[in-house]
Amino acid sequence: MKYLDEFRNPAVARSLLAEIKAVTTRPWVIMEICGGQTHSLIKNGIDQLLPKEIELVHGPGCPVCVTPLELIDKALAIAALKDVIFTSFGDMLRVPGSKKDLFLVKSEGGDIRIVYSPLDALTLARNNPTKKVVFFAVGFETTTPNTAMAVWQASREGLTNFFLLVAHVLVPPAMMALLDSPENRVQAYLAAGHVCTVTGWRQYEPIAEKYKVPIVVTGFEPTDLLEGILMAVRQLENGEARVETNTLAW
C-alpha cells in the first residue's frame, strides 16, 4: 500500500460493484465479523449500493457484545472495592450488568479509570503501589498481545499490585456457534485482516470445510470490502467453500 486513497478509489469501487452485480444470480447472506468492517460498510454506503440479492448481517466481532453478563458483574464487584483502581477501555463503562454498569459504580465512589492500553494500567500500578490496579482485559485476538505484553512487563518489574480480569475471546468459536444454530442464515463470512495478522488464517480452514461456507479475509477500506464480497459471492455462486485472502488487503 502506498496511499490510503488507493483503497478508496471511486473508479475501482464502481468496477467492483458492477462485477458483484454481474455475478450475483441468487440471494446470499454474508456476515462481516468485525465491527470495524461494519463501520466502514455503513460509513461508505456499501450496504446501500450492493444488489438487493445480497444481505449483509453484522457479526459478533465486538467485545462489548460478547462479554458474558457474569464477567460484567465480576467487574462491577471488583471496581467497587475500596483498595482497587479499576481500569477499562471506555466502551465497557456503559455495558449493563445485572443491576448496574461501571459508570454507576464510579458515581458511587469506585475508582474507575479509562485507559487506552493495558500499559496505561501498568503505569497506574507503578505509580500507586498501595492500590490494587485491575485491568479489564477484553477483546478478540487483536487485543490479546497487548495484554500479554503488560503481564510480561509487570513480571519483569516485579510488580505485585497489577491484576487482570480476563475476558478475551476467540473469533472461530463465535463463528461456529452461529453456524451451529438451527436459526442460522449466514452463508459466507468476511473475516478481519487484523485478526489474521495476529493468528494467521489457517484457523478458518476447518470451519470452511466442516460447514461448507466461504470465508474471505478482508481489510477495512471500501475497495477491500467490495473485493471481499465479490470473492465470497463468486464462491457461493460456484458452490465452493474455502478460505481466501483479499489481495487488496494484503
Side-chain angles (χ1 to χ4, degrees), residues 123-170:
T123 298
L124 285 170
R126 196 180 295 121
N127 295 337
N128 295 272
T130 63
K131 291 280 191 175
K132 296 174 182 175
V133 177
V134 180
F135 175 66
F136 197 5
V138 300
F140 285 86
E141 291 92 335
T142 47
T143 56
T144 305
N146 292 335
T147 302
M149 174 58 73
V151 172
W152 178 82
Q153 185 65 29
S155 174
R156 184 168 175 261
E157 295 182 27
L159 293 176
T160 59
N161 65 326
F162 179 68
F163 301 87
L164 301 175
L165 177 59
V166 178
H168 284 300
V169 289
L170 299 172

Side-chain angles (χ1 to χ4, degrees), residues 179-250:
L179 294 170
D180 283 329
S181 170
E183 299 177 359
N184 173 60
R185 297 173 55 243
V186 176
Q187 296 167 290
Y189 280 113
L190 300 183
H194 65 334
V195 172
C196 293
T197 300
V198 176
T199 66
W201 51 266
R202 294 193 181 277
Q203 62 179 334
Y204 299 126
E205 289 181 335
I207 300 174
E209 182 177 354
K210 177 180 177 180
Y211 295 96
K212 308 304 179 188
V213 293
I215 301 173
V216 181
V217 182
T218 81
F220 295 87
E221 294 300 324
T223 54
D224 288 321
L225 291 162
L226 285 168
E227 188 187 40
I229 292 167
L230 173 60
M231 294 165 71
V233 171
R234 280 176 174 161
Q235 284 199 53
L236 290 167
E237 291 281 344
N238 294 331
E240 300 170 344
R242 64 182 184 277
V243 180
E244 291 186 288
T245 56
N246 177 316
T247 55
L248 289 174
W250 300 91

Side-chain angles (χ1 to χ4, degrees), residues 19-50:
E19 202 164 350
I20 291 169
K21 292 175 182 178
V23 302
T24 303
T25 65
R26 287 177 283 170
W28 300 112
V29 179
I30 301 173
M31 173 177 280
E32 81 278 1
I33 291 174
C34 181
Q37 292 169 311
T38 303
H39 176 78
S40 184
L41 287 165
I42 294 173
K43 176 184 175 182
N44 293 286
I46 292 173
D47 56 327
Q48 302 297 314
L49 296 172
L50 293 169

